[in-house]
């Protein structure tokens, strides 16, 4: 049996607020937003948590909603579920209730102290309870393995080997066989922030426009020659994998799960490729917090306690592909696809050349603009073939202004900064 342990270090436009249903506890989440996942939350994960109104919101809307409720002093939300970096601004503004007693209880029940410490968000009290964790991996149809470069280790593949693999597959099949989620709702920005930039530059912001970054972009252009052009329409890679449009793909574990669980014997799952600076990877930790002024703090506490039981943690892994924060053993009868994903996550964590990249912190409601810098660079350099240096100089200026405006300090893997993280 595989053991899922802590990932170690880690790492929104005003909407009209729905009138709260008094008999229900309003639970707003930036996670598990797709219809299929939200249905699992409502029908399975929250089945025994009382009457809950589970509301999903995009991160930018979430940030604005929480700020508006805090300023107005009119609270409708009793529980929030969001990423570590999305909860940090709320903690900085002292908008979250301390959860120390529950944290102590969970520590005694098998939740790693290292994860609980992250939930303090640098404060002396527990700001959130770790809910679930995930990361991004690669998956391939087993039929693609025959085209691997000679001597390549699937669990320690490099960008050069991935390019050669892509070339071999395309020559054999007549079609580009690699896919990325570069569509409108895909998570491609996280690829750049957590994987591409750390692997080629050892940083994310400081190194945005340096020589290592330029060399990395040239390498990505070489790789893209073997990437299915429909990647710019792909949001979830499980669909093109299952449909046979690509044989190799990169994505979030939860967005690969359906294809792999449907035919687990047809796939291998493995860590993302390494570049000159190492094997970048982004651990993703989601937490549960109770906002100050919550109209039903008791109901919110019951929901947190339900979602952090061993039974529900394992059900979450099985149903949506997010892994436990409790230090639990995956049962031998666990969905084979989830077991494959878990194995790749473990290999990613254990990689000797791993370069951990945290989710962005300190950007407030500017997270979308931060993502856009990377996606615009990708569009201009890779898809439009504009000169790398020119694009990085222009986008670097946009990045520098964004960091100055938000005053966001550097986060790992960039070296710490006094004040706004510089673009060098």
């Amino acid at each position: 049996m595989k053991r899922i342990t802590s990932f170690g270090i880690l790492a929104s436009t005003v909407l009209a607020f729905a009138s709260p249903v008094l008999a229900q506890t309003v639970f707003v989440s930036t996670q598990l937003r797709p219809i299929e996942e939200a249905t699992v939350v409502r029908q399975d994960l929250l089945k025994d948590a009382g009457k809950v109104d589970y509301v999903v919101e995009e991160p930018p809307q979430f940030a604005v909603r929480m700020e508006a409720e805090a300023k107005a002093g009119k609270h409708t939300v009793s529980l929030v579920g969001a990423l570590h970096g999305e909860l940090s601004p709320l903690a900085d503004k002292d908008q979250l209730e301390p959860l120390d007693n529950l944290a102590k209880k969970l520590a005694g029940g098998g939740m790693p102290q290292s994860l609980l410490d992250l939930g303090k968000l640098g404060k002396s009290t527990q700001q959130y309870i770790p809910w679930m964790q995930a990361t991004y991996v690669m998956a391939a149809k087993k039929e693609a393995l025959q085209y691997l470069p000679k001597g390549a280790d699937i669990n320690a593949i490099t960008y050069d080997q991935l390019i050669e693999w892509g070339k071999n597959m395309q020559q054999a099949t007549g079609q580009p066989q690699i896919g990325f989620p570069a569509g409108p709702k895909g998570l491609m920005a996280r690829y750049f922030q957590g994987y591409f930039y750390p692997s080629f530059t050892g940083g994310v912001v400081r190194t945005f426009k340096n020589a290592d970054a330029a060399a990395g972009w040239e390498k990505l252009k070489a790789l893209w020659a073997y990437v299915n052009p429909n990647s710019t329409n792909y949001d979830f890679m499980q669909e093109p994998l299952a449909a046979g449009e690509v044989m190799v793909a990169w994505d979030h574990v939860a967005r690969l799960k359906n294809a792999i669980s449907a035919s687990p014997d047809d796939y291998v799952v493995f860590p993302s490729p390494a570049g000159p600076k190492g094997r970048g990877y982004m651990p993703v930790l989601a937490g549960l917090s109770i906002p100050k002024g919550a109209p039903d703090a008791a109901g919110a506490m019951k929901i947190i306690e339900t979602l952090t039981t061993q039974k529900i943690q394992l059900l979450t892994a099985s149903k949506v592909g997010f892994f436990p924060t409790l230090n639990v053993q995956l049962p031998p009868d666990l969905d084979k696809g989830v077991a494959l994903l878990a194995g790749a996550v473990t290999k990613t964590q254990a990689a000797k050349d791993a370069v951990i990249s945290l989710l962005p912190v300190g950007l407030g409601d500017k997270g979308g603009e931060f993502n856009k810098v990377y996606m615009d660079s990708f569009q201009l350099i890779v898809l439009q073939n504009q000169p790398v240096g020119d694009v990085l100089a222009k986008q670097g200026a946009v990045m520098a202004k964004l960091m100055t405006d938000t005053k966001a300090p550097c986060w790992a893997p960039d070296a710490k900064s006094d004040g706004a993280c510089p673009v060098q």
Side-chain angles (χ1 to χ4, degrees):
M1 290 186 289
K2 297 182 177 67
R3 180 174 291 276
I4 299 298
T5 56
S6 159
F7 279 135
I9 304 176
L10 290 178
S12 285
T13 23
V14 177
L15 293 181
F17 300 161
S19 298
V21 179
L22 296 179
Q24 294 183 314
T25 307
V26 179
F27 175 10
V28 173
S29 176
T30 65
Q31 302 302 292
L32 305 180
R33 296 193 307 268
I35 293 174
E36 297 85 353
E37 295 178 358
T39 299
V40 169
V41 177
R42 297 182 180 112
Q43 295 183 356
D44 300 318
L45 306 186
L46 296 175
K47 183 179 178 181
D48 300 321
K51 294 182 178 181
V52 186
D53 182 11
Y54 181 69
V55 181
V56 298
E57 284 191 351
E58 297 282 348
Q61 284 75 32
F62 167 76
V64 173
R65 175 173 187 164
M66 299 311 297
E67 180 67 15
E69 291 205 3
K71 285 184 176 179
K74 183 179 180 181
H75 299 274
T76 66
V77 180
S78 293
L79 177 65
V80 295
L83 297 177
H84 176 93
E86 295 164 353
L87 293 170
S88 183
L90 304 184
D92 290 342
K93 297 171 184 175
D94 196 30
Q95 294 176 3
L96 302 175
E97 289 283 0
L99 300 169
D100 297 85
N101 290 337
L102 182 53
K104 290 177 182 177
K105 179 180 176 182
L106 289 169
M111 186 171 288
Q113 191 61 49
S114 58
L115 277 187
L116 286 165
D117 288 345
L118 287 170
K120 291 183 178 180
L121 290 168
K123 296 184 173 294
S124 60
T125 58
Q126 195 75 31
Q127 300 295 297
Y128 73 77
I129 297 298
W131 174 19
M132 56 188 186
Q133 55 184 338
T135 191
Y136 302 74
V137 295
M138 295 199 74
K141 291 283 189 70
K142 286 184 177 178
E143 62 193 274
L145 296 179
Q146 61 186 307
Y147 306 115
L148 265 175
K150 186 176 181 180
D153 178 353
I154 191 70
N155 292 311
I157 198 167
T158 67
Y159 271 94
D160 286 337
Q161 291 171 333
L162 181 60
I163 291 170
E164 188 177 349
W165 192 11
K167 180 180 180 181
N168 293 344
M169 288 187 289
Q170 186 161 320
Q171 288 179 339
T173 66
Q175 300 292 332
Q177 295 291 347
I178 298 174
F180 284 88
K185 295 182 179 180
L187 296 174
M188 194 69 179
R190 297 303 190 214
Y191 164 74
F192 291 116
Q193 298 157 10
Y195 296 81
F196 172 79
Y197 258 88
S199 296
F200 282 95
T201 75
V204 178
V205 176
R206 284 182 181 273
T207 58
F208 180 80
K209 62 179 184 178
N210 70 10
D212 288 336
W217 281 105
E218 293 290 356
K219 190 70 70 173
L220 186 61
K221 287 171 67 175
L223 172 62
W224 214 259
Y226 308 112
V227 170
N228 190 313
N230 284 333
S231 287
T232 53
N233 297 317
Y234 294 153
D235 293 332
F236 289 59
M237 290 311 303
Q238 59 196 11
E239 294 154 359
L241 271 174
E245 294 180 27
V246 299
M247 289 197 288
V248 177
W250 176 95
D251 209 344
H252 189 285
V253 289
R255 295 182 173 209
L256 292 167
K257 177 188 173 295
N258 288 355
I260 297 169
S261 290
S263 304
D265 294 336
D266 294 343
Y267 292 95
V268 291
V269 189
F270 51 100
S272 298
K277 301 295 184 179
R279 194 173 307 276
Y281 94 92
M282 178 179 279
V284 180
L285 181 64
L288 297 164
S289 292
I290 300 177
K292 287 187 174 179
D296 187 12
M301 193 71 73
K302 180 180 178 181
I303 296 170
I304 298 177
E305 291 176 337
T306 299
L307 293 175
T308 52
T309 60
Q310 180 170 317
K311 172 186 174 183
I312 299 301
Q313 290 260 296
L314 289 172
L315 188 61
T316 301
S318 177
K319 291 283 189 177
V320 296
F322 279 79
F323 298 110
T325 50
L326 287 177
N327 195 0
V328 300
Q329 289 202 338
L330 298 177
D333 60 348
L334 182 71
D335 178 290
K336 288 185 178 180
V338 173
L340 278 175
L341 290 164
V345 170
T346 300
K347 290 169 185 172
T348 298
Q349 293 173 242
K352 294 180 180 179
D353 55 354
V355 180
I356 297 174
S357 181
L358 302 189
L359 283 160
V361 177
L363 298 174
D365 59 359
K366 301 288 187 180
E369 294 179 32
F370 182 71
N371 293 345
K372 189 174 185 295
V373 174
Y374 292 93
M375 293 308 294
D376 284 352
S377 300
F378 165 67
Q379 288 276 346
L380 295 169
I381 294 171
V382 179
L383 302 184
Q384 298 181 25
N385 199 31
Q386 293 190 19
V388 174
D390 293 350
V391 172
L392 292 182
K394 292 177 182 178
Q395 293 301 315
V398 175
M399 174 74 80
K401 183 177 186 304
L402 178 61
M403 302 312 291
T404 300
D405 289 349
T406 61
K407 299 181 175 60
C410 297
W411 58 87
D414 282 313
K416 291 183 179 181
S417 63
D418 292 324
C421 192
V423 179
Q424 299 167 334

